[in-house]
Amino acid sequence: MSEEHHDDAEHESGIKTPKQLITVVAAAIIVPVLVIIMLTQFVTLDNKKSPGSEVYTASAVAARIAPVASDAVFDASIVVVPKTGKQVFEAQCTTCHTAGLLGAPKFGDAAAWGPRVGKGYDALLQSALHGKGSMPAQGGGDFTDYEVGRAVVYMANAGGGKLVEPAAPAASAPASAASK
Ligand code: HEC
């Protein structure tokens, strides 16, 4: 008997007066509404600017770096310096040409380079630019034609050739243009 009574007490609701009922009903309406309002605020937060953030807008940044970012300054001082034949060789060609990988003529091996150099610079350059046999175009590198040419001369001459460095293309000679 006493156990039954205990169960009843457990299932009793906490609401005992009309005032409590009103409070609970009001809360049941107001709380979800508040949550929804807060969520919409959160979602639209992106569009709101926090104080001081205007200084990071693209136009404001552009205006601030204008003195150093202008074309005039860039043209005169930032020049892409072409790599030397040695630099290209050390960056790319050495992979195969130092050890003679895949049957590549070894660097400094006059016997291997002699007959190839005999074909002339242009033939060698075309092979280096577009690939030959197991050698991919540019030896798999990403250089200007001028840089590849310099690497060809560097390697061929190390192998006993007497090739002349290719002339620098006009576009990569701004140093002389700037000194005018
Ligand atoms: C993946 C290996 C590999 C790399 C990297 C590589 N070569 Fe070669 N190279 C070869 C092989 C193999 C041959 C021989 C091709 C043949 O005669 O069939 C060769 C041949 C050549 C020849 C002679 C071509 C001819 O017509 O006889 C030149 C010049 C040359 N390479 C230049 C370069 C230059 C310059 C680079 C760097 C930009 C380079 N190679 C990077 C594998 C390579």
Side-chain angles (χ1 to χ4, degrees):
M1 233 6 216
S2 65
E3 234 177 63
E4 227 171 76
H5 182 76
H6 176 73
D7 277 350
D8 282 352
E10 210 171 23
H11 291 143
E12 249 172 37
S13 102
I15 300 169
K16 293 203 169 62
T17 66
K19 196 181 165 196
Q20 281 177 340
L21 182 65
I22 290 167
T23 309
V24 168
V25 169
I29 294 167
I30 290 168
V31 168
V33 167
L34 281 180
V35 168
I36 289 168
I37 290 173
M38 284 157 78
L39 278 177
T40 56
Q41 292 292 308
F42 178 70
V43 167
T44 56
L45 207 61
D46 264 359
N47 305 326
K48 302 215 171 87
K49 291 200 168 64
S50 49
S53 66
E54 322 80 57
V55 295
Y56 297 113
T57 60
S59 55
V61 170
R64 253 175 294 128
I65 66 171
V68 285
S70 79
D71 285 348
V73 176
F74 262 55
D75 278 355
S77 67
I78 299 187
V79 169
V80 180
V81 180
K83 292 186 178 66
T84 64
K86 187 167 187 277
Q87 286 169 335
V88 173
F89 173 79
E90 284 166 358
Q92 192 72 33
C93 323
T94 180
T95 312
C96 298
H97 283 276
T98 293
L101 232 67
L102 305 171
K106 273 194 195 177
F107 185 80
D109 182 347
W113 279 101
R116 294 183 188 267
V117 174
K119 296 191 291 183
Y121 169 71
D122 285 335
L124 297 182
L125 177 64
Q126 291 310 308
S127 300
L129 285 180
H130 306 296
K132 181 173 189 242
S134 315
M135 174 168 66
Q138 294 213 2
D142 184 15
F143 305 99
T144 65
D145 289 4
Y146 172 54
E147 289 168 332
V148 172
R150 294 176 109 182
V152 168
V153 170
Y154 175 72
M155 266 204 285
N157 288 356
K162 294 210 161 33
L163 301 183
V164 182
E165 273 258 323
S172 67
S176 55
S179 65
K180 266 181 215 157

